[in-house]
Amino acid sequence: MTVAADIWGALGEVSDPELRRPLTELGMIERVDERGDGSFEVELRLTIVGCPAARQIERDVRSAIESVIDGAPYELVVGVMTREQRTALTERLRGSRAGRVHPFGKDSLTRVIAVTSGKGGVGKSTVTANLAAAFARRGLSVGLIDADVHGYSIPGLFGLGEDVSPTRVGDMIVPPEAHGVRLISIGMFLGDDAQVVAWRGPMLHRTIEQFLTDVYFGDLDVLLLDLPPGTGDIAISLGQLLPGAEVVVVTTPQAAAAEVAWRSGALARKTGQRVIGVIETMSPFASADGERVALFGEGGGRAVADRLSEDGSPVELLAEVPVSQSLRESGDAGTPLLRHAPTTPAGIALQQAAEALLAQPRGLSGRRLPVSLV
């Protein structure tokens, strides 16, 4: 092998930190030339002008080159892909999908879990964020769509400020990553927390559809969706766009909250989705002197699970998450509780819910598996 070939091989080990594919596979290495004087010239093509990962990519490329040239002089030429090259890149990443078809259809092996609630303020987004963090801690590839367009809170729960935004490569959107989870939210496109989203049905449907089709998550093991509370437009749209999704219902112990939480699960079933569990938040906790304190009552989660079980297949109460100051503080700090304090009572309950979900078998009936017979 020539030294130029060795350089190609070394660059094949360097991946784009956002697209998570080797640079050579993405077409980002334009050429590797050996000059007559024994020096080398390598041309790197970044995906876009102002690529947020440019410094890291250039650093990794230089390190790879220097690892094989044994001190020989070289020049790294950094440019930007042409429009045609970007189009070829997005087509390569999307594979055989043509047009506006999202990759999470009936033949997808990605597990899709939607987290819903009957009313707001029950901790649904906090639960979703911590489930995502728990799955990522297990080494799974995890994506999260903040489908609560009017009340988006996922960016804040993961510590992403206004300066963090998705990267656009042609008509493809590359989501940022935090705590091992790839995230997308309408809040990342507004640029100002003071802006109010005042959209109705068609715009809401279009937003969720675009998140599913235009955002490149890569190969995911699990895709979580944080739904808005209630049985409105987005819940109905999700039933149309992802009829095979599994649904987790979040409620507090209070009887009034449990009543409306049941309705959100019932709607999911009407749209063909499968309710796979209930998580109760704000559950009773033990005070400093060991007394059991039930600020919001008791039994709401069990009541929802039992009622949903009457209307179809059994639904498990996955966990009862006690009232927790550390859970609130972790959300305010932008770090999911399961990333820094998993052994707190709330952390243990959330981890229990995540383990219970992973333990549930996932039906593959009717799905086309990527296996060919020779």
Side-chain angles (χ1 to χ4, degrees):
M1 292 180 62
T2 65
V3 177
D6 290 339
I7 294 174
W8 272 108
L11 293 174
E13 301 297 319
V14 179
S15 292
D16 183 292
E18 292 184 306
L19 299 176
R20 304 168 188 87
R21 297 280 187 89
L23 302 185
T24 51
E25 181 182 322
L26 295 172
M28 294 175 66
I29 303 300
E30 183 75 7
R31 59 189 173 84
V32 176
D33 296 332
E34 183 171 2
R35 296 165 171 164
D37 61 359
S39 64
F40 298 90
E41 183 174 329
V42 178
E43 184 172 359
L44 167 68
R45 291 289 184 99
L46 300 173
T47 52
I48 58 172
V49 175
C51 173
R55 289 186 179 180
Q56 180 180 342
I57 293 172
E58 182 175 345
R59 183 173 62 249
D60 292 346
V61 166
R62 289 187 180 277
S63 178
I65 295 170
E66 292 166 7
S67 70
V68 297
I69 62 175
D70 194 27
Y74 74 93
E75 180 182 3
L76 177 62
V77 179
V78 181
V80 179
M81 284 184 170
T82 64
R83 179 179 299 178
E84 293 74 21
Q85 288 173 322
R86 279 194 294 271
T87 299
L89 170 63
T90 57
E91 290 176 352
R92 187 181 302 117
L93 291 173
R94 287 171 171 163
S96 59
R97 287 191 294 125
R100 298 189 59 77
V101 179
H102 69 74
F104 306 109
K106 66 177 182 178
D107 295 327
S108 171
L109 297 181
T110 298
R111 187 172 187 183
V112 179
I113 300 176
V115 183
T116 185
S117 66
K119 60 195 305 183
V122 301
K124 167 186 54 62
S125 297
T126 297
V127 166
T128 308
N130 279 279
L131 289 177
F135 295 153
R137 286 184 69 206
R138 285 284 300 268
L140 300 179
S141 178
V142 184
L144 199 167
I145 292 177
D146 187 355
D148 193 350
V149 174
H150 293 132
Y152 58 89
S153 56
I154 289 297
L157 290 172
F158 279 86
L160 297 181
E162 295 178 12
D163 58 331
V164 178
S165 61
T167 300
R168 294 179 180 270
V169 181
D171 63 352
M172 186 177 70
I173 301 170
V174 182
E177 181 176 313
H179 303 294
V181 180
R182 302 165 206 174
L183 312 160
I184 197 71
S185 170
I186 193 64
M188 298 174 181
F189 297 90
L190 300 179
D192 181 358
D193 284 341
Q195 291 193 41
V196 177
V197 179
W199 297 342
R200 301 184 70 177
M203 279 293 290
L204 297 173
H205 180 94
R206 171 76 176 107
T207 299
I208 302 306
E209 184 178 39
Q210 185 171 12
F211 282 170
L212 290 169
T213 55
D214 292 354
V215 176
Y216 176 73
F217 286 101
D219 296 326
L220 294 180
D221 295 306
V222 183
L223 174 67
L224 286 156
L225 294 99
D226 179 29
L227 299 187
T231 55
D233 291 310
I234 289 183
I236 296 171
S237 292
L238 188 71
Q240 298 171 346
L241 295 168
L242 295 168
E246 300 170 304
V247 174
V248 172
V249 179
V250 177
T251 184
T252 65
Q254 187 180 17
E259 173 64 27
V260 292
W262 167 81
R263 295 174 196 163
S264 64
L267 174 68
R269 281 202 172 133
K270 283 188 176 181
T271 58
Q273 298 166 330
R274 185 167 71 96
V275 181
I276 57 173
V278 175
I279 297 176
E280 182 184 281
T281 58
M282 306 183 194
S283 302
F285 65 98
S287 65
D289 58 5
E291 180 184 358
R292 181 178 172 83
V293 182
L295 289 178
F296 298 93
E298 297 187 64
R302 172 58 61 191
V304 174
D306 290 346
R307 190 170 181 184
L308 288 170
S309 297
E310 293 173 0
D311 298 336
S313 57
V315 174
E316 180 183 353
L317 176 60
L318 301 171
E320 295 172 314
V321 184
V323 173
S324 168
Q325 180 176 334
S326 60
L327 182 59
R328 190 268 302 167
E329 290 174 342
S330 69
D332 290 344
T335 303
L337 185 68
L338 289 182
R339 296 294 295 185
H340 76 95
T343 58
T344 59
I348 292 171
L350 288 164
Q351 185 64 43
Q352 173 189 329
E355 296 294 340
L357 287 172
L358 292 177
Q360 290 188 11
R362 181 187 176 211
L364 296 178
S365 176
R367 297 179 188 271
R368 185 181 296 111
L369 301 180
V371 177
S372 59
L373 299 177
V374 180

